[in-house]
Amino acid sequence: MRIFKYLNSKKIIILSFTGLFLFVFLYIFSVKFFEKNAYDTVVKLSTNKAGSDNIINVVIDDTSIKEISPMPWKRSLYSQMFNYIEKSGAKAIVFDAILTGQNDINDDMAFLSDISKFQNLVAGVNFSKNLNLKNNKDDIEYFSNHFALNINDKMSNNYKEKTKYTSYQEMFPEYINNLYTIGAVNTTLENDGAVRSFEPFIYMEGKYYPSLPLAVYLKLNDYKYINLYDSYYEIYSKDGLLATFPLKQTKTAAVQAIKWLAPYDKNSWIAHKQIKASDVIKSEINMMNGQNPIIAPNEFKDKIVVIGATANALYDLKITPLTVNMPGSTIQATIIDNLFSHDSVQIVNHYVNILIMLVFIGFMLLLIFKLTPVLSTIGILFLSFLYFYTTLFAYSHGFAINVTTPYLFFILTSILSYSYKFSVEDYKKEKLKKAMTKYINTNVVDDIIKSTDEEVKLGGKKTEVTILMADIRGFTKFSENLDPNEVTMLLNEYFGLMIPIIEQYKGSVNKFIGDAILAVFNEPIKDKNHPQNAILCATKMLSALQTLRKKWKSEDKPDIGISIGINTGTVFIGNIGTPNHLEYTVIGDTVNVASRIESQNRQFNTQILISETTYEYAKDMLDVIKISSVPIRGREKHIDIYEIINILEANEIN
């Protein structure tokens, strides 16, 4: 590439490493500061799957607290809820709460004695990474023997170390000893305080324990063992593979992304049906008193019932991609739904993200360098929309790819590519112009350069111009006695003297016909006084020729003279030839007449002759003699020709 033309290997290496460093820096910066919010936007726009009807939230809301009693509740109230839900035929009662400390000792003991009755209860446990907290060795052993998972551990040690917990929160021994199933209620918060994922496994003292949602899934599917890897895990039952879910390793945990669900109703982002805890408690009391329950028993039949707090005073509200105040128990319900529907989100790794981004950048570069700026801009806008819809499509199909970062690189790519393209094109045009001006008039070259972005076509236009034809007298005769190189040098010097004069008077050299010059005035440079300027140009050419003759005489070079014919009229000017070989030229009767007039100088021994048409335009500035009326081939009428004797106005006419 031309950009590397003037760079040595050392500079190329430095530029390459600098570019790589900037790429990595911008990528990391964007991912860290912009991607989370962009991810949340994609989640909101892509969340359209409804929550399962088989999952219900029983919520301890503000109304329940008002109707039952202020918090903390007596533990027997939980027993009443558990009892009613289990009798109603629920498949699982998921208790998203931690019971610690004494409340009412008699009530507590009654509650603890009832716990063993609830075989479908999955209770919450909180684990800690606080190195200063350690459980009793016997408690750890009991906990491990009863609740640890059967796992084929194939996770790397470095991942296990950073996900290691040191203890679980102490609860009543009678509570722990009478539970059949437990699950971690730990919340995985990201740097901005939002919940976007959860830890399926808790690693403590060499054993793995399930999260609350995973404990429900394993209990109801009668799992046999789990294969745990760094990036995914497999759950097996006695009948074979149940499910595979992706994992993402962070600095502190092995997490599974939450696939968020559409709201159950339009008033909130809650994905599942909600029933007030107070109505469940009252239903149990009514049944005990022989009255009709508020909540029909079949409401819970074969359902997974998640019990948790939604009251503002209980501070269990979390920030999520959907809302800033989602109750923790409804998040647990969403995760349970994910597991049972085998619905997951694979957070695509950086390598795949970069590959996807580079593919789109590749298409952008093709558009920029293959199409016009307008078309390429339209194409880039289309690609940008396409990429955004790709992120929505990917998320809805279980893959989360970067959203904002590619756009940062799209913008940078566009700026750099267009800058490079235009600088290279300007360079090429300038180089082309320098080369073409050696063959074509500078003003014609400018017109061609301006149209290089479009197809140069055959055709032209009719316009009025003044044609100046200048020929060296006796050139053929004296050139026969000279070396070809000498002839070329003489012509070059002659042309080099005459062309600037023609351009000075707004004319352009259309072509060289041997030693003759065909100059056009009023194209491509517009000049309303083109006849007058053509005449002034002719007189200046004769004056310059006298200087050249003296110089050549001193150098013992041939003596020359020139004859000039000028005519004004309408011509066709433009591109003629074939689509693959064009010539910008003028044709028409006006050109032929100018040539015929020029040839009359030899007959009348004159130097400048003009046509009657040119004379009519410029007669106010001339002293002339009418030489003759001469016949023109193809014309019935003769034309008058004039010799210029004197110029009354010596300055260039603007």
Side-chain angles (χ1 to χ4, degrees), residues 360-376:
F360 274 84
I361 288 175
F363 281 113
M364 285 183 62
L365 292 174
L366 284 175
L367 292 173
I368 291 171
F369 288 103
K370 294 296 183 181
L371 299 179
T372 63
V374 172
L375 290 178
S376 62

Side-chain angles (χ1 to χ4, degrees), residues 176-195:
I176 289 291
N177 294 344
N178 284 293
L179 291 173
Y180 293 95
T181 311
I182 62 95
V185 294
N186 296 67
T187 301
T188 304
L189 299 179
E190 298 192 8
N191 294 336
D192 59 353
V195 177

Side-chain angles (χ1 to χ4, degrees), residues 175-246:
Y175 182 58
I176 289 291
N177 294 344
N178 284 293
L179 291 173
Y180 293 95
T181 311
I182 62 95
V185 294
N186 296 67
T187 301
T188 304
L189 299 179
E190 298 192 8
N191 294 336
D192 59 353
V195 177
R196 297 182 180 89
S197 58
F198 72 102
E199 287 184 79
F201 303 99
I202 300 297
Y203 182 66
M204 183 183 73
E205 297 294 331
K207 299 290 184 178
Y208 288 95
Y209 301 90
S211 65
L212 190 65
L214 182 60
V216 178
Y217 181 81
L218 298 178
K219 179 180 179 67
L220 296 185
N221 282 288
D222 192 23
Y223 92 104
K224 187 175 182 181
Y225 65 91
I226 297 171
N227 288 337
L228 178 59
Y229 301 89
D230 291 341
S231 59
Y232 67 97
Y233 63 96
E234 301 169 330
I235 303 174
Y236 286 84
S237 70
K238 63 181 180 179
D239 297 322
L241 180 65
L242 279 172
T244 301
F245 295 103

Side-chain angles (χ1 to χ4, degrees), residues 142 477 574 593:
Y142 177 87
K477 182 177 180 181
V593 170

Side-chain angles (χ1 to χ4, degrees), residues 315-359:
Y315 306 108
D316 191 30
L317 301 179
K318 313 293 182 184
I319 300 171
T320 72
L322 303 180
T323 179
V324 296
N325 55 356
M326 182 173 283
S329 61
T330 64
I331 296 174
Q332 302 285 20
T334 297
I335 299 170
I336 292 170
D337 200 325
N338 287 175
L339 294 173
F340 278 92
S341 62
H342 295 177
D343 212 357
S344 61
V345 179
Q346 174 72 60
I347 305 297
V348 174
N349 64 45
H350 295 306
Y351 301 108
V352 176
N353 271 311
I354 291 173
L355 178 61
I356 294 171
M357 181 175 69
L358 291 178
V359 169

Side-chain angles (χ1 to χ4, degrees), residues 3 25 76 91 121 154 187 192 223 232-233 248 286 391 395 462 522 565 577 617 620 623:
I3 193 171
F25 172 79
S76 58
K91 290 194 295 185
L121 177 65
K154 300 180 181 181
T187 301
D192 59 353
Y223 92 104
Y232 67 97
Y233 63 96
K248 177 179 174 59
N286 287 355
T391 63
Y395 180 82
K462 283 187 175 182
N522 201 35
Y617 277 102
D620 292 339
D623 246 343

Side-chain angles (χ1 to χ4, degrees), residues 74 106 109 244 250 260 297 307 315 354 386 430 570 584 629:
K74 289 183 177 182
N106 293 325
M109 296 309 296
T244 301
T250 69
W260 301 97
I307 301 173
Y315 306 108
I354 291 173
L386 178 63
E430 190 61 32
T570 301
Y584 183 82
S629 291

